[in-house]
Amino acid sequence: MRVGNLFPCLRGSDLQKDAQPVDKKLPVLSIIEDAAGMTSEKPAIKELEIQENQQTCPERGGLWLQFAAAISASFAVMACGGYLGWTSPALPHLQGPNSEFPVTAYQGSWIASLYTLGGIIGSLLSPLLINRLGRKFSLLAFAIPQLAGWGLIIAARSYVILYVARFVAGIAHGGIYNVAVIYFAEIADKDIRGAFGTLLKMCTNLGGLFVTTAGAYLPYDKLNLVSLLLPLVFVSTFIFMPESPYFFLIQNREDRATRSLMQLRRLKRPESVKKDIDAMRDAVIEGQRSGQHALRELVMNRGTRRGLWILLSLKVTQQLSGHMAIVAYTQEIFSHSGSKLEPQYAVIVLGLAQLAAGLAAASLVDRVGRRILILLSGSFAAVSLALVGLFFFMKYSLEADVSMITWLPIAALIVYEIMVALGIGTIPYVILGEIFPTNVKGPAVAAGIIIGSIFAFIVGLGFQALNKVAGIHSTFWFFSGCCAAGTLWVYIITPETKGKTLEEIQAIFNPPRERQARSQDDVA
């Protein structure tokens, strides 16, 4: 007897299904369930509909872990800023009558400058570690000399120990900056990558503000103990942060890379990140194409050579604008002004202005763009330096009465530091993580930090000597001229990278046709 006769409520389509032979895997029990309105096909259809909806509706994630990882890593950068700012309150004490051991002005210039010299060693070490230990554990490894530096400073009873301490801590500085630039660029979504790049400068300023504020209110020995907190916070928090997915792809561990990217974006489905993982893998493969000859690729390839030229121009402009000398000798510079505001408190005001400008830069860099910020910040910074030079020229060369404008050097240097934080001091760190392919990124960043460290060492060591030979006004006019010329040059040669993925930026520097031609040459 036909099923339709037994169950007249079934539709025609159901009757067609009922008419299928048994070998179609439709058991009699399921026919009865269909008749009772409990079809077994409905859950399957529902599951298919859910899968289709998942494919058409993008999964919503979150960015909070990216921010958490960046903030945690930033404590290492803050500690670097603390080291840079430490000389401002420490050198006046060490050169004063209350110091436990005597330090001359010449020895003080070496204490300030050896830190940047150690940065060169750290920059050379970082490319050897970053693709072996990974971004995360390389940062943690460089925290060791950072902690050792503060331990030596706390125990120091001679200027020689301070030399060693500053040099050892400088090794950490070079390595941390190298790795942090890459880590920030690789964990961040493209819409916030520029803001993450500004964290380097902003957190450097924050670390310097922390130490100089402590130096204004605490004795020398307590200052050193409090400064040790920054690297300790970094180590205790960053150990729990995720690794960059790019590192896992370099290690041919795509499953770990997928989990890492899902974790960073707070997603649950691998298909939600498949497109991005594919793009990352292509970028890594393209980068590894000549990975064994990274240095040669960095110099010989037109695209990477252009990026290197931009990077070095940015770093030279940044340092020849006098930033290292101004940070290291802030209290001494302010003491020349004759202002009623005590130098140690003027430094705090300067640090607060730097921090506010860094926060503004974090939002502006992905809105306004890199090039326009470079041009505006460099121009205003050059004018500010020129005004400081004019004040000291009037005071020491013309011996004019400047009692009515003693506020000018402090105000001009505050404007200078704000402008540096908005552009020429921040953009180099953003550019560092963007313009190089994976295989040369480590050597390129190391080259930038090395060049920056060399010029910072020269500026820090030569500041006092140039003041004696030509006068402090000539020193600031030299800084102003270098800042203006370097800013114009960098603006001309730098393309805009705002709102572009790392892969799109690589297409600007290495067009597909050129990459294809190089691949064919390699095969040949």
Side-chain angles (χ1 to χ4, degrees):
M1 181 180 294
R2 293 183 58 85
V3 176
N5 295 332
L6 289 172
F7 304 101
C9 61
L10 293 177
R11 296 178 306 224
S13 59
D14 296 325
L15 294 177
Q16 291 178 1
K17 292 178 184 177
D18 297 340
Q20 300 299 326
V22 175
D23 61 358
K24 293 295 184 178
K25 300 181 180 179
L26 186 62
V28 175
L29 180 60
S30 67
I31 299 176
I32 298 174
E33 289 177 346
D34 286 347
M38 300 183 295
T39 176
S40 64
E41 294 184 9
K42 286 185 180 180
I45 294 172
K46 201 169 187 179
E47 183 177 348
L48 288 174
E49 290 176 351
I50 292 173
Q51 292 176 357
E52 289 176 359
N53 290 334
Q54 289 176 345
Q55 293 175 357
T56 57
C57 298
E59 185 181 8
R60 288 189 176 183
L63 302 178
W64 69 265
L65 186 58
Q66 296 180 31
F67 282 99
I71 291 171
S72 176
S74 295
F75 275 97
V77 182
M78 288 183 209
C80 293
Y83 272 112
L84 289 171
W86 175 83
T87 53
S88 182
L91 287 181
H93 168 81
L94 293 170
Q95 295 171 7
N98 297 324
S99 176
E100 294 185 11
F101 50 92
V103 173
T104 65
Y106 176 74
Q107 292 165 351
S109 65
W110 276 98
I111 290 173
S113 302
L114 279 170
Y115 182 74
T116 58
L117 203 60
I120 298 174
I121 305 301
S123 298
L124 292 173
L125 289 174
S126 60
L128 303 177
L129 300 179
I130 193 168
N131 288 336
R132 292 177 173 84
L133 297 181
R135 283 67 165 143
K136 174 180 176 178
F137 287 102
S138 293
L139 283 171
L140 290 169
F142 281 115
I144 297 173
Q146 198 172 62
L147 291 166
W150 285 121
L152 288 170
I153 288 175
I154 291 169
R157 294 297 179 267
S158 72
Y159 69 89
V160 176
I161 302 300
L162 290 180
Y163 284 176
V164 176
R166 295 283 291 174
F167 183 82
V168 169
I171 295 173
H173 180 101
I176 285 170
Y177 267 68
N178 275 12
V179 181
V181 165
I182 296 173
Y183 183 74
F184 287 164
E186 291 182 350
I187 68 168
D189 283 7
K190 66 177 183 179
D191 294 331
I192 59 172
R193 195 179 61 246
F196 276 20
T198 65
L199 281 175
L200 285 167
K201 180 59 181 174
M202 184 172 64
C203 291
T204 301
N205 293 339
L206 184 58
L209 175 63
F210 176 79
V211 171
T212 53
T213 302
Y217 295 100
L218 296 176
Y220 175 76
D221 56 340
K222 298 293 191 301
L223 163 67
N224 298 330
L225 288 171
V226 169
S227 300
L228 186 61
L229 290 175
L230 291 174
L232 289 175
V233 172
F234 162 67
V235 172
S236 61
T237 58
F238 193 67
I239 191 68
F240 301 104
M241 295 299 120
E243 177 60 90
S244 162
Y246 279 88
F247 170 67
F248 290 125
L249 289 173
I250 291 171
Q251 298 291 316
N252 293 319
R253 299 158 70 184
E254 186 170 328
D255 57 333
R256 291 293 304 275
T258 300
R259 291 202 299 270
S260 174
L261 189 57
M262 290 168 60
Q263 183 182 7
L264 284 165
R265 295 183 180 178
R266 310 308 298 161
L267 299 172
K268 298 181 179 180
R269 300 198 306 267
E271 58 268 20
S272 298
V273 298
K274 185 179 184 306
K275 182 179 178 181
D276 291 317
I277 287 292
D278 291 342
M280 290 178 182
R281 189 198 315 110
D282 292 342
V284 168
I285 292 172
E286 172 64 22
Q288 289 178 331
R289 181 185 53 79
S290 56
Q292 295 180 347
H293 308 286
L295 289 175
R296 187 185 72 179
E297 178 80 4
L298 180 62
V299 177
M300 300 302 294
N301 176 263
R302 186 172 69 176
T304 54
R305 188 168 63 244
R306 178 189 176 192
L308 183 63
W309 186 238
I310 292 170
L311 173 60
L312 297 185
S313 298
L314 280 164
K315 296 301 292 183
V316 170
T317 300
Q318 183 188 58
Q319 296 303 330
L320 288 185
S321 70
H323 188 253
M324 174 61 192
I326 293 170
V327 169
Y329 301 104
T330 308
Q331 285 196 26
E332 181 178 336
I333 294 169
F334 284 164
S335 67
H336 284 287
S337 70
S339 172
K340 295 180 180 179
L341 182 63
E342 292 293 329
Q344 64 267 31
Y345 301 122
V347 172
I348 296 175
V349 175
L350 181 65
L352 290 171
Q354 289 176 322
L355 182 60
L359 292 171
S363 62
L364 289 175
V365 70
D366 281 320
R367 295 182 182 180
V368 178
R370 282 66 158 156
R371 295 180 76 237
I372 192 65
L373 280 179
I374 290 173
L375 181 63
L376 292 177
S377 68
S379 300
F380 281 103
V383 172
S384 300
L385 292 169
L387 289 175
V388 176
L390 178 62
F391 174 87
F392 288 130
F393 177 74
M394 293 172 61
K395 181 176 181 178
Y396 293 117
S397 296
L398 300 181
E399 297 183 352
D401 182 10
V402 294
S403 58
M404 298 297 293
I405 56 171
T406 55
W407 52 268
L408 180 60
I410 296 176
L413 285 180
I414 287 175
V415 172
Y416 165 79
E417 288 293 349
I418 290 174
M419 292 299 107
V420 167
L422 285 176
I424 61 173
T426 299
I427 300 300
Y429 303 114
V430 179
I431 295 292
L432 272 173
E434 290 183 334
I435 62 178
F436 296 104
T438 305
N439 68 309
V440 301
K441 191 174 288 186
V445 172
I449 300 295
I450 288 170
I451 294 298
S453 298
I454 290 173
F455 277 90
F457 174 76
I458 294 171
V459 169
L461 191 62
F463 178 75
Q464 299 281 19
L466 188 57
N467 288 347
K468 290 181 179 180
V469 172
I472 191 172
H473 63 280
S474 298
T475 303
F476 275 93
W477 282 344
F478 172 77
F479 291 157
S480 176
C482 291
C483 184
T487 296
L488 182 60
W489 171 247
V490 169
Y491 177 78
I492 293 172
I493 65 174
T494 304
E496 184 56 72
T497 59
K498 180 189 73 169
K500 294 180 173 62
T501 65
L502 296 179
E503 291 73 30
E504 290 170 343
I505 295 170
Q506 287 310 303
I508 295 174
F509 284 88
N510 298 282
R513 291 182 180 180
E514 293 186 7
R515 285 185 287 178
Q516 184 178 3
R518 290 202 309 272
S519 299
Q520 292 175 351
D521 291 340
D522 291 344
V523 172

